[in-house]
Amino acid sequence: MNILLIGSGGREHALAWAISASPLCDKLFIAPGNPGTGQCGENVVLDIADHRAVADFCKLMGVGLVVVGPEGPLVEGIVDDLEAAGIKTFGPSKAAAQLEGSKAFTKELCAEFGIPTAAFARFTDEAAAREYVARTGAPLVIKADGLAAGKGVIMAETIEQANDALAMMFSGGLGAAGAEVVIEEWMIGEEASFFALCDGAHALPLASAQDHKRAFDGDTGPNTGGMGAYSPAPVMTKAMEEQVMAEIIRPTLAGMNQRGTPFRGVLFAGLMITADGPKLIEYNTRFGDPECEVLMPRLKSDLVPALLAARDGVLNAVDLRWSDEVALTVVMAAKGYPGTPEKGSVIKGIDKAAAEKDVLVFHAGTQARDGEIVANGGRVLNIVALGRSVSEAQAKAYAAVDLIDWPGGFCRRDIGWQAVKRERES
């Protein structure tokens, strides 16, 4: 079949790489794609916000499956519109995508169905929110209810930081996303990302990963969309995975079904592994970024039949095989990120890095210009390496990073540090 992949980031390059390897994929289109996805299929100029135009393209080109990468189109209801036009689409409906589109929606679902998560309160009034902060004390986590491109979560270690966050959100600093704010308790533990394919009734566990959100070494600096990741996450043992499926994933599916909004697609649970067991931080309703870049290289099975089974409601007949190797990705970002990134700087040495053994380079915010690759976003490249341990994968990844000549970029030099420390201690 012909397949259309929607999106343009590192996640989409990783998905394009996996989908294009499937015997079921005759031709892969990516809209709008990037220079990396163009190596896996054909990038097409298509306004993905115009769902009718997307449907018309699919009919014209004989597309048998659409895979939606980013969260924006999901929350805007692209799956509903394409399915209504008779086009098979992988991803949740607009109603089900609220699990990512609204923090308050997910917190209320957790409260209703007994899913372990942080204590919380919701506010649409800044004065009431400030009063709650004064009464509760710091540290707290301040979250914009809506989508905010990875910038809607502020870890407030002091009451002053919490009030500054509230002022920023309620004054329109994040647009409509901050019109409602969720204030949560600050959970203590180790974070992990866990993924499950869902078909509305069944959930198939994929793999775990650990993301690094802070911009700088030692988990310091502002929150970002993610500066690197590795898979699997050692904290996600088989027993922990089964506990997460039993206490978080399956109750979520059951709750969504009970509400009449069954969830089909990939459920990405951001978890905090606390002394009291796993708790849900938040849900994303798509493959994570940069987590997808470490999941796809470890997947030994064909991705396309699994995506089709999730859409068709027959996931119980699917089994996926994963490599025992560790995958680790280092994100190279443009200077200024996560604030205003500097665009247009030339990047050299990408091919040299990608030619290294066990290394993949996934493009994110890049653009081809006059025969050169230039930075065109915040997070620009993902340097992925496979190894028998986190230490080995980390060493290979940074050796490849050092082959890239890009004075306009930066990266963390400690991705995977917790796991490396564990390996050294054992």
Side-chain angles (χ1 to χ4, degrees):
M1 64 173 68
N2 293 343
I3 297 174
L4 171 64
L5 172 62
I6 289 176
S8 63
R11 166 185 47 230
E12 285 73 40
H13 189 182
L15 288 171
W17 176 80
I19 290 168
S20 64
S22 171
L24 293 181
C25 181
D26 289 329
K27 186 166 179 64
L28 175 63
F29 300 101
I30 311 97
N34 63 42
T37 62
Q39 299 166 10
C40 305
E42 181 183 337
N43 291 341
V44 292
V45 178
L46 198 54
D47 181 1
I48 60 176
D50 185 343
H51 299 173
R52 182 182 289 272
V54 175
D56 289 345
F57 173 85
C58 291
K59 289 175 179 174
L60 179 68
M61 304 307 296
V63 169
L65 175 68
V66 176
V67 179
V68 185
E71 62 275 20
L74 295 172
V75 171
E76 293 300 319
I78 193 170
V79 172
D80 310 63
D81 292 342
L82 293 181
E83 287 281 355
I87 298 156
K88 278 192 178 191
T89 307
F90 172 80
S93 66
K94 181 176 184 176
Q98 287 182 91
L99 281 171
E100 177 165 6
S102 169
K103 301 285 192 301
F105 175 91
T106 297
K107 298 300 284 190
E108 296 293 356
L109 183 92
C110 289
E112 184 178 348
F113 295 99
I115 298 162
T117 189
F120 73 99
R122 301 167 57 182
F123 299 93
T124 54
D125 176 73
E126 185 178 348
R130 284 174 173 268
E131 186 183 310
Y132 178 83
V133 166
R135 194 168 67 248
T136 308
L140 290 165
V141 183
I142 314 295
K143 295 183 177 182
D145 176 61
L147 296 180
K151 296 172 184 173
V153 177
I154 293 176
M155 313 295 287
E157 297 181 33
T158 65
I159 288 177
E160 184 183 14
Q161 287 175 354
N163 286 332
D164 286 348
L166 291 172
M168 181 272 289
M169 291 181 190
F170 281 117
S171 66
L174 298 174
E180 179 170 357
V181 169
V182 175
I183 303 178
E184 295 185 3
E185 70 168 317
W186 181 299
M187 293 190 288
I188 304 295
E190 187 169 344
E191 286 191 48
S193 303
F194 183 74
F195 297 81
L197 277 182
C198 304
D199 67 2
H202 311 100
L204 177 68
L206 296 180
S208 64
Q210 197 153 50
D211 185 13
H212 296 62
K213 287 289 186 199
R214 297 296 187 98
F216 307 126
D217 286 13
D219 290 327
T220 59
N223 258 3
T224 72
M227 294 300 294
Y230 59 96
S231 174
V235 71
M236 290 300 294
T237 61
K238 191 68 182 169
M240 185 62 70
E241 179 183 298
E242 287 168 1
Q243 191 177 351
V244 168
M245 289 295 291
E247 297 179 7
I248 296 175
I249 303 294
R250 291 193 195 104
T252 298
L253 278 195
M256 293 294 281
N257 258 330
Q258 199 170 313
R259 287 182 166 194
T261 53
F263 185 89
R264 295 183 186 88
V266 63
L267 204 50
F268 164 8
L271 303 171
M272 184 69 78
I273 311 303
T274 74
D276 299 324
K279 293 187 178 184
L280 181 71
I281 300 171
E282 63 184 16
Y283 273 131
N284 292 328
T285 59
R286 34 75 191 186
F287 286 102
D289 191 346
E291 292 90 347
C292 189
E293 291 90 314
V294 290
L295 291 186
M296 291 303 112
R298 293 189 59 232
L299 180 62
K300 295 174 79 172
S301 303
D302 189 342
L303 177 65
V304 174
L307 301 182
L308 285 167
R311 185 267 174 200
D312 292 342
V314 290
L315 260 184
N316 52 323
V318 173
D319 185 35
L320 294 176
R321 293 177 303 116
W322 296 87
S323 167
D324 291 332
E325 286 191 301
V326 171
L328 182 143
T329 185
V330 177
V331 170
M332 298 190 76
K335 286 180 179 175
Y337 179 78
T340 304
E342 299 173 11
K343 295 185 179 182
S345 54
V346 175
I347 308 165
K348 296 179 179 176
I350 294 175
D351 291 343
K352 193 186 292 185
E356 289 291 287
K357 188 175 184 295
D358 298 325
V359 170
L360 293 160
V361 178
F362 292 130
H363 290 239
T366 63
Q367 187 177 45
R369 186 186 299 166
D370 301 326
E372 295 182 308
I373 297 296
V374 301
N376 190 44
R379 293 183 295 168
V380 176
L381 292 172
N382 296 270
I383 316 303
V384 186
L386 292 159
R388 289 165 297 178
S389 63
V390 181
S391 303
E392 184 178 295
Q394 184 195 59
K396 289 179 181 177
Y398 281 112
V401 165
D402 291 338
L403 295 174
I404 292 176
D405 177 12
W406 182 29
F410 76 97
C411 68
R412 281 183 56 164
R413 304 294 306 195
D414 65 346
I415 301 301
W417 69 270
Q418 284 176 304
V420 169
K421 186 180 173 197
R422 268 202 189 96
E423 287 175 357
R424 286 175 181 157
E425 288 172 352
S426 64

